[in-house]
Amino acid sequence: MEFKSKILQKDGIIDATQLYKDIEDFIEKEKISKGTDRLHRHHPLQHILNSTSGNYVSPTSMKSFNLCPAGYLYGKLVTEKTGTATSVGRTYHTIMERFYNEKPEDRTTEKIYSIMEDVIKEDNQQESYDDIRAYVDGYLDAKDYLNNRPMDHGKLVCFNEVFIKPTINPLGVNLDIPIYTLLDRIDIREDGLYIVDYKTGFGDPNPYLLGENGYLPQMIFYKWAAEAEYGQEVKGAFLCLPGASEAYKYVPMNVNSLVEQSKVVEQVKNHIDFARSVRESKQFPERYMRYCGSCQLKHNCEVYIKTKGLDESDIKECIDVSIEIEDNYGENE
């Protein structure tokens, strides 16, 4: 089936009133046809409603939404293109997940490259083969983040792609909503739990990406979630950067700082209020930001086009929306 609707654009605002009406109508018909009272959260239209509701928080969506609500919404409406930074990153994550899901004795260099070849084919990422191979090479060259010795992959005890949905009270503050987190890896080392998060991209990270405006809030979310799930203190959290130089393959994040954690608590409270107000009005502001170049809305975005001094005749007041709905969605959770 194909879902069709439209969004309107005026004065740097995406008006999604008609979109949400059409989504709600479509979902009601889907529920009747499938004989269910709710659709699975992975149904693309249900996901749009859930992810813009302000009734839960995920660290990555909070950041994306706050940077540009219009770009965040539009990203839910279009198919991700292969070869983009996001799609390449997802392919690399899949490789790492499958590698560590192997029996410890089977985690060999030959095995990870065999997995890489399979996943590249499955994801149709042949054009990005060299970049993905470079990430795998870079990861295998990385030393153990605790002792700077070669990583013994066969002895590493870990959980991969861990989805945790806790309701947490960080620093004693009741946020009163669930936090959706998907942790790339939780390592169980001799002295406790460690969180590892893979980030693709080449070159060494700049301080901006490591601080409160970058990845630090996300990693603090992961700490909170892991501690709520396992009842143990997280000893450390690391960004794993296979495309960086040797000194930055693993970057420790300051997740146990009470000051930094308090900043994230305040960010969450502000985000909830903002997201709920946007959803209620159905008016999604467009914002110029450092990541505009990778946004699929930019070719039609009034703010981007005017800021860049591009041809304003490309600005569309009405943007058509078309989403293919596969028949295997809509099951009860």
Side-chain angles (χ1 to χ4, degrees):
M1 294 182 291
E2 186 178 21
F3 167 79
K4 291 187 176 182
S5 185
K6 62 183 177 181
I7 53 178
L8 304 178
Q9 178 178 213
K10 185 177 181 181
D11 299 329
I13 300 287
I14 291 293
D15 182 346
T17 304
Q18 185 64 50
L19 172 70
Y20 277 90
K21 180 182 183 303
D22 292 340
I23 286 176
E24 290 165 358
D25 290 346
F26 192 98
I27 284 178
E28 285 305 311
K29 293 176 182 177
E30 276 271 85
K31 289 193 293 188
I32 292 171
S33 70
K34 292 182 178 295
T36 182
D37 59 353
R38 63 173 178 169
L39 299 185
H40 194 281
R41 64 186 177 88
H42 288 156
H43 186 290
L45 300 186
Q46 188 64 56
H47 174 66
I48 292 169
L49 294 185
N50 293 349
S51 63
T52 58
S53 67
N55 293 327
Y56 77 92
V57 172
S58 79
T60 52
S61 66
M62 184 180 82
K63 179 180 177 181
S64 298
F65 187 93
N66 291 342
L67 285 172
C68 181
Y72 175 82
L73 174 65
Y74 192 74
K76 305 294 182 183
L77 307 178
V78 294
T79 303
E80 182 182 279
K81 298 177 181 178
T82 61
T84 63
T86 302
S87 67
V88 168
R90 185 168 289 116
T91 295
Y92 175 73
H93 277 69
T94 301
I95 294 167
M96 299 307 297
E97 177 188 8
R98 291 189 187 177
F99 178 62
Y100 281 110
N101 282 344
E102 293 285 335
K103 295 178 181 178
E105 61 270 22
D106 292 335
R107 294 178 193 155
T108 63
T109 300
E110 293 76 15
K111 174 58 71 172
I112 195 171
Y113 285 122
S114 174
I115 292 171
M116 180 194 76
E117 297 285 346
D118 291 342
V119 177
I120 287 175
K121 290 179 182 177
E122 292 170 15
D123 290 357
N124 194 28
Q125 293 281 20
Q126 288 84 353
E127 292 185 3
S128 300
Y129 182 96
D130 290 344
D131 285 349
I132 296 168
R133 172 64 187 252
Y135 291 137
V136 174
D137 291 344
Y139 179 76
L140 293 176
D141 288 341
K143 300 293 194 299
D144 189 319
Y145 54 80
L146 291 184
N147 55 38
N148 203 36
R149 295 197 292 264
M151 179 71 81
D152 190 339
H153 305 289
K155 291 185 178 181
L156 183 65
V157 178
C158 61
F159 300 113
N160 298 288
E161 296 296 310
V162 182
F163 177 71
I164 307 174
K165 188 180 71 173
T167 299
I168 59 176
N169 303 295
L171 306 184
V173 178
N174 183 8
L175 297 177
D176 200 32
I177 61 171
I179 306 294
Y180 284 31
T181 56
L182 182 62
L183 287 70
D184 291 345
R185 206 173 82 211
I186 300 176
D187 293 352
I188 305 173
R189 309 299 293 263
E190 290 184 1
D191 62 336
L193 303 181
Y194 287 84
I195 295 169
V196 174
D197 191 64
Y198 307 119
K199 298 295 183 188
T200 49
F202 293 104
D204 295 342
N206 62 55
Y208 178 89
L209 292 177
L210 303 180
E212 62 183 273
N213 296 310
Y215 295 126
L216 182 57
Q218 176 182 347
M219 301 300 284
I220 288 174
F221 269 112
Y222 293 164
K223 164 192 161 65
W224 292 340
E227 290 178 344
E229 181 75 4
Y230 297 106
Q232 296 184 44
E233 179 186 358
V234 169
K235 296 294 185 179
F238 292 84
L239 291 183
C240 178
L241 309 173
S245 65
E246 183 177 352
Y248 291 95
K249 296 292 188 188
Y250 285 101
V251 179
M253 303 297 286
N254 192 22
V255 296
N256 289 316
S257 164
L258 295 180
V259 172
E260 297 299 340
Q261 290 183 65
S262 67
K263 292 178 182 177
V264 178
V265 170
E266 194 63 29
Q267 286 179 21
V268 174
K269 292 166 63 179
N270 292 338
H271 167 73
I272 293 170
D273 291 341
F274 178 53
R276 287 176 176 173
S277 68
V278 170
R279 171 63 177 273
E280 183 178 357
S281 68
K282 311 294 192 301
Q283 308 296 301
F284 289 74
E286 298 172 344
R287 293 175 175 171
Y288 186 77
M289 57 171 180
R290 62 187 292 140
Y291 304 110
C292 279
S294 60
C295 177
Q296 296 195 64
L297 177 62
K298 68 178 182 179
H299 299 295
N300 298 318
C301 176
E302 179 180 348
V303 169
Y304 180 81
I305 289 172
K306 288 184 175 180
T307 301
K308 287 292 191 179
L310 303 176
D311 187 352
E312 294 189 15
S313 65
D314 289 337
I315 299 173
K316 293 183 178 180
E317 293 185 1
C318 179
I319 301 174
D320 292 329
V321 173
S322 177
I323 302 174
E324 191 67 32
I325 308 296
E326 299 178 14
D327 195 45
N328 61 338
Y329 290 108
E331 301 85 0
N332 281 317
E333 294 217 59

